[in-house]
Amino acid sequence: MKKPLDNIKVLDLTHMLSGPYGGMILADLGYEVIKIEPPVKGEATRRLLENDPDYSLNGMGAYFYTLNRNKKSVAIDLKNDDGLKIFYKLVKKADVVLSNFSAGVTKKLKIDFDNLKKINPKIITCTVSGFGESGPKFQRPAFDQIAQALGGGMSITGLSSQEPMRAGIPIGDLGGGMFAVMGIQAALIDRVSTGIGQNVDISMLDCQISMLNYMATMQTMSGIIPEPIGNSHFVHMPYNSFLTKDYPIVIAAVGDQFWPRLLKIFKNPELQDPIYETAFERQKDKQKLESIIQKELLKENADYWLHELEKESVPCARVNNLEQAIHDEQAQHRNMLV
């Protein structure tokens, strides 16, 4: 099957997660992605989990297999003059050079934008780093949890401000990779009209701040610093995870139109009080109302309640474990597990 961007060539110098994830998305979209690794040991994740009985195959771990699918591969020693000459030859025919070295490394290796544009004026370079390529502390080392911590997301995740919780998936790294793809796409479109390349400077911290979105707006408007509230919501109610006889489920009643439908399912007289017709009033007694709903839900298993809730068109879902998630019939239909 022809993919939309299979005429674009990318030199992928990335390692670990943020950069390789961006390169993986580009490869999935059809870019010709050539992963360039140092000789002998290769990129760090090539050996990560290599001997783990559960998470390796043929001497390589799950990280490397996932992040480098659809990519071509070559080993070049960029610290060697002969290796650098080979890399420059590739740059002449490439469209994009993607990297996520520590700050200053590309310049030291003579593979930064200022050097590469002399070889190919149309080249687009994209660097993914913890803090970008400028600023008072941009040279600090960073990994996923550093970006999550500094970006504010950890402070509103979990149950207590005294016990901040990182996201279960590495959104600090993954966010950097996704924003890198957006930046590269924008630079490619711009090159159509200008005929020249540019450097795309991606900061993982920038990405985390961007994803705060409306919550950042609310804070700057009010001066109020939000605290974590678990799986509930500060506006909508009920909007939370609940236990059943077997699997936990989520009810996400966004809007007052769902409350009368819930009352058809949960017939407890305290819930029927007309004062609770609006989310504003329900929020005042959130703990009490959620406790009533929780007691009801414990009487049956998840499938029973999901059937009842779906019958009334109330937004709901089982909280899937990973195995359940990748085998979900909708995910299967969309070919998410190949």
Side-chain angles (χ1 to χ4, degrees):
M1 181 181 74
K2 180 174 169 58
K3 294 187 177 181
L5 297 162
D6 59 7
N7 62 330
I8 306 293
K9 292 180 172 60
V10 178
L11 303 180
D12 181 353
L13 298 168
T14 62
H15 61 286
M16 293 307 289
L17 183 52
S18 61
Y21 183 68
M24 183 202 82
I25 296 173
L26 295 176
D28 287 349
L29 291 172
Y31 287 69
E32 182 184 358
V33 179
I34 303 168
K35 185 171 182 70
I36 298 173
E37 300 179 70
V40 187
K41 290 186 178 181
E43 192 252 296
T45 59
R46 184 180 280 274
R47 296 287 168 252
L48 197 61
L49 300 174
E50 65 176 326
N51 297 314
D52 191 290
D54 295 316
Y55 304 126
S56 66
L57 183 68
N58 299 327
M60 286 185 285
Y63 274 79
F64 192 82
Y65 274 118
T66 305
L67 294 166
N68 297 293
R69 65 184 186 221
N70 295 323
K71 298 179 185 180
K72 296 180 179 179
S73 180
V74 64
I76 301 176
D77 185 356
L78 295 173
K79 297 177 182 177
N80 177 291
D81 286 342
D82 290 335
L84 198 57
K85 287 176 186 175
I86 293 170
F87 178 71
Y88 285 162
K89 283 183 182 179
L90 292 172
V91 169
K92 285 181 182 178
K93 297 183 178 181
D95 296 284
V96 179
V97 175
L98 174 64
S99 67
N100 67 323
F101 295 115
S102 299
V105 171
T106 55
K107 196 166 188 175
K108 185 178 179 181
L109 292 174
K110 299 178 183 176
I111 58 171
D112 59 311
F113 178 68
D114 287 338
N115 274 292
L116 298 186
K117 71 179 180 181
K118 297 171 188 174
I119 300 165
N120 179 356
K122 292 186 175 182
I123 199 70
I124 291 163
T125 59
C126 178
T127 59
V128 184
S129 62
F131 308 103
E133 297 185 312
S134 63
K137 295 183 177 180
F138 78 100
Q139 292 181 309
R140 286 175 295 172
F143 292 100
D144 170 76
Q145 194 159 336
I146 302 297
Q148 288 199 40
L150 286 172
M154 276 184 67
S155 76
I156 52 174
T157 305
L159 295 170
S160 163
S161 58
Q162 302 305 307
E163 298 180 77
M165 187 72 64
R166 71 172 178 87
I169 58 173
I171 59 169
D173 278 328
L174 300 181
M178 287 188 284
F179 275 81
V181 173
M182 289 184 254
I184 289 168
Q185 303 275 49
L188 285 167
I189 293 169
D190 183 66
R191 193 179 69 176
V192 173
S193 58
T194 65
I196 58 173
Q198 60 181 283
N199 180 52
V200 178
D201 174 13
I202 299 295
S203 155
M204 289 161 58
L205 176 59
D206 289 356
C207 299
Q208 294 303 296
I209 298 291
S210 173
M211 288 192 285
L212 292 176
N213 202 264
Y214 68 86
M215 297 203 72
T217 308
M218 291 170 64
Q219 197 285 317
T220 56
M221 288 173 69
S222 68
I224 298 169
I225 299 173
E227 294 195 355
I229 53 174
N231 294 324
S232 68
H233 200 281
F234 56 90
V235 175
H236 309 297
M237 195 275 153
Y239 188 107
N240 212 334
S241 58
F242 298 91
L243 300 175
T244 69
K245 260 189 175 181
D246 49 11
Y247 296 108
I249 66 169
V250 163
I251 298 174
V254 179
D256 290 329
Q257 71 272 24
F258 295 112
W259 186 246
R261 304 178 196 179
L262 284 164
L263 296 183
K264 293 181 184 179
I265 302 169
F266 305 114
K267 303 186 185 299
N268 185 291
E270 289 188 80
L271 300 179
Q272 307 293 327
D273 191 327
I275 196 174
Y276 296 134
E277 289 177 0
T278 66
F280 180 78
E281 293 298 332
R282 292 196 296 277
Q283 279 288 345
K284 294 178 183 177
D285 285 338
K286 178 164 71 171
Q287 191 172 356
K288 169 188 166 184
L289 299 179
E290 287 187 340
S291 176
I292 293 169
I293 292 171
Q294 178 61 88
K295 285 177 183 175
E296 291 294 313
L297 289 169
L298 285 170
K299 295 176 182 177
E300 301 288 349
N301 61 29
D303 283 345
Y304 171 85
W305 291 116
L306 292 173
H307 174 75
E308 293 298 306
L309 291 161
E310 287 170 2
K311 198 163 64 176
E312 296 296 334
S313 299
V314 175
C316 60
R318 181 176 65 186
V319 180
N320 282 338
N321 61 38
L322 286 186
E323 182 179 45
Q324 291 166 335
I326 60 178
H327 289 94
D328 179 87
E329 60 181 350
Q330 181 66 20
Q332 289 279 316
H333 175 78
R334 301 283 297 175
N335 295 320
M336 289 307 297
L337 182 65
V338 179

